[in-house]
Amino acid sequence: MGERPPAGEAKREARHHDGHRDRLRERFSEAGADALADYELLELILFRTIPRRDVKPIAKALIARFGSLNEVLGAPRRLLMEVPGVKDAVALDLTIVAAINRRAMREAVRKREVLSSWAAVLDYITAAMAHEPREQFRILFLDKKNALIADEVQGTGTVDHTPVYPREVVKRALELNATALILVHNHPSGDPTPSRADIDMTRTIQETAKPLGIALHDHIIIGRHGHASLRGLKLI
């Protein structure tokens, strides 16, 4: 068992931590988030879950382990808890922050014409899917004004495959009275390059939907560090 620091030293350490926390909060309040490093923003979150400890080393360890603030907030709880100092409550708080961020971005997309707010759409689907450990197939269903009717996960598969049934996709579009679709899926490998199977599946859905008056705007593949658009690549 290690010896406890003398009472006076413990009090000085506590005052130092409190002073650091106050200064960091003040910087955020006066200068905004851009004035803080990524690890300092993480500190602000950790302050609430770890009230009596220097959290700077934990925040820096999280950034070092996952590579960026975005990767930290996208990491699953079990991996977050592999970082020294990160217990279940801390991991839960970080995943709650990530969930709030995704929900806010989804609502921003829902209230706007999707094709005119393409950057917001990409931000949302990237936040929602880039860090998924398994392939996930998602569909954005749009109305005749290209506003979002629904955003639904149609299937989750393995690390490199998700079964997709074109007739089921079109059936769901008809149920929602959608007139356009945007297909989205992720590549857990991190490389968003479309496979031959991705291209063939997309074209089959397009051919099935078109006679029923349902347009396929795009199929976006999300990787951890980028995305690929089949429309942009002139594959559909």
Side-chain angles (χ1 to χ4, degrees):
M1 298 287 290
E3 295 184 1
R4 293 184 179 182
E9 182 179 332
K11 288 182 180 179
R12 285 194 298 273
E13 185 177 351
R15 286 197 299 270
H16 171 75
H17 292 163
D18 290 342
H20 171 67
R21 292 178 179 220
D22 289 343
R23 288 189 297 272
L24 199 55
R25 290 189 180 105
E26 185 177 356
R27 282 175 54 206
F28 179 84
S29 178
E30 293 182 355
D34 288 344
L36 275 64
D38 286 353
Y39 77 86
E40 291 175 317
L41 288 173
L42 271 181
E43 283 189 77
L44 291 173
I45 299 172
L46 297 175
F47 286 166
R48 299 181 178 278
T49 314
I50 308 175
R52 294 289 181 267
R53 183 175 172 184
D54 181 7
V55 298
K56 183 186 292 186
I58 300 173
K60 287 187 172 182
L62 282 164
I63 297 290
R65 166 67 174 79
F66 296 102
S68 70
L69 179 59
N70 181 48
E71 297 278 352
V72 171
L73 294 179
R77 286 168 65 181
R78 62 181 179 80
L79 294 184
L80 290 169
M81 291 174 63
E82 292 179 0
V83 175
V86 177
K87 305 299 184 184
D88 186 62
V90 172
L92 179 61
D93 273 5
L94 293 174
T95 55
I96 289 171
V97 170
I100 291 171
N101 184 47
R102 289 194 300 271
R103 181 72 59 87
M105 286 192 287
R106 185 180 69 185
E107 291 306 306
V109 169
R110 188 182 297 277
K111 296 178 181 179
R112 297 164 66 180
E113 196 272 322
V114 167
L115 298 184
S116 68
S117 54
W118 197 240
V121 172
L122 290 175
D123 285 345
Y124 163 59
I125 59 178
T126 298
M129 301 178 70
H131 305 287
E132 286 290 328
R134 296 183 294 168
E135 270 205 13
Q136 188 182 86
F137 184 72
R138 195 180 207 102
I139 305 176
L140 307 184
F141 297 94
L142 311 180
D143 65 17
K144 61 183 179 181
K145 294 182 179 179
N146 286 321
L148 187 65
I149 297 173
D151 160 27
E152 297 182 353
V153 175
Q154 296 294 302
T156 300
T158 64
V159 294
D160 61 1
H161 176 69
T162 302
V164 178
Y165 305 100
R167 290 183 183 276
E168 292 300 315
V169 172
V170 174
K171 177 183 176 183
R172 183 58 177 154
L174 292 172
E175 289 173 350
L176 293 169
N177 293 317
T179 58
L181 306 171
I182 297 173
L183 310 179
V184 189
H185 84 277
N186 64 309
H187 280 179
S189 67
D191 180 4
T193 303
S195 67
R196 184 73 251 174
D198 293 335
I199 298 166
D200 291 344
M201 175 267 290
T202 304
R203 289 174 175 169
T204 301
I205 291 176
Q206 185 178 41
E207 292 165 2
T208 306
K210 187 175 180 179
L212 299 172
I214 302 170
L216 178 60
H217 286 325
D218 208 342
H219 183 171
I220 305 296
I221 301 174
I222 299 295
R224 289 188 178 176
H225 305 294
H227 70 275
S229 158
L230 270 69
R231 177 76 64 184
L233 294 170
K234 303 187 186 304
L235 295 173
I236 57 172

